[in-house]
Amino acid sequence: MAADPLSDVLALLNPRSMLSASLHAGGAWALRFQPYPGSVIKFNAVVRGRCWLSVDGERGPIELEAGDCFLLTRSRSFVLASDMALEPVEARPLFTDTAGGEREVRYGSADEVLVIGGRIDLESADAELLVDRLPPLILVRGASEEAAAIRWLLG
């Protein structure tokens, strides 16, 4: 049985490590995620609730709902928020490691939204050549067939 195309691409990129994280948020909130250095693919999925996404250098904001996924193939900062009019808080210092090695943050006054995600650090010398062929932001709506591949990666 042939491997799926996403697995084939990831194997070519020689991923060095993967980091997973979860964000539980509610009420009025806005978090800014700074770019990571090097060749990185950032991926996220909205598991519960709705939020807004704004990526530096891209059109936006984009409303996301449960089931929607997005990938950032370039190292860019982005904001996830309940309301894009709010001033975002830096996200990285809020994340703490859990016993299972994941990173987790609970932010805001409720637990209305759950976003899970992570990043893949790429080690291959060819990684940038391949990643440069991809758009900087890939949005996959939850109702699409492609969303299943992203959810698999997050699983």
Side-chain angles (χ1 to χ4, degrees), residues 48-129:
R48 180 179 62 244
R50 294 175 178 264
C51 62
W52 291 93
L53 166 68
S54 177
V55 178
D56 286 353
E58 296 295 314
R59 287 187 190 181
I62 300 167
E63 186 174 20
L64 302 172
E65 59 185 36
D68 291 347
C69 308
F70 68 93
L71 287 91
L72 296 175
T73 63
R74 309 287 190 290
S75 190
R76 294 189 179 174
S77 65
F78 65 98
V79 172
L80 290 175
S82 63
D83 180 348
M84 292 307 297
L86 298 170
E87 184 66 30
V89 171
E90 289 299 323
R92 196 171 294 161
L94 302 175
F95 279 86
T96 57
D97 291 333
T98 65
E102 292 183 354
R103 300 181 62 85
E104 181 178 52
V105 70
R106 296 187 179 279
Y107 195 75
S109 61
D111 194 8
E112 301 161 345
V113 177
L114 171 59
V115 178
I116 59 173
R119 74 174 197 265
I120 303 170
D121 298 327
L122 306 172
E123 199 169 76
S124 168
D126 299 326
E128 288 199 34
L129 291 173

Side-chain angles (χ1 to χ4, degrees), residues 15-37:
R16 183 176 63 240
S17 63
M18 294 178 72
L19 172 71
S20 62
S22 61
L23 166 65
H24 301 262
W29 59 275
L31 295 174
R32 174 170 293 282
F33 296 80
Q34 294 297 333
Y36 285 89

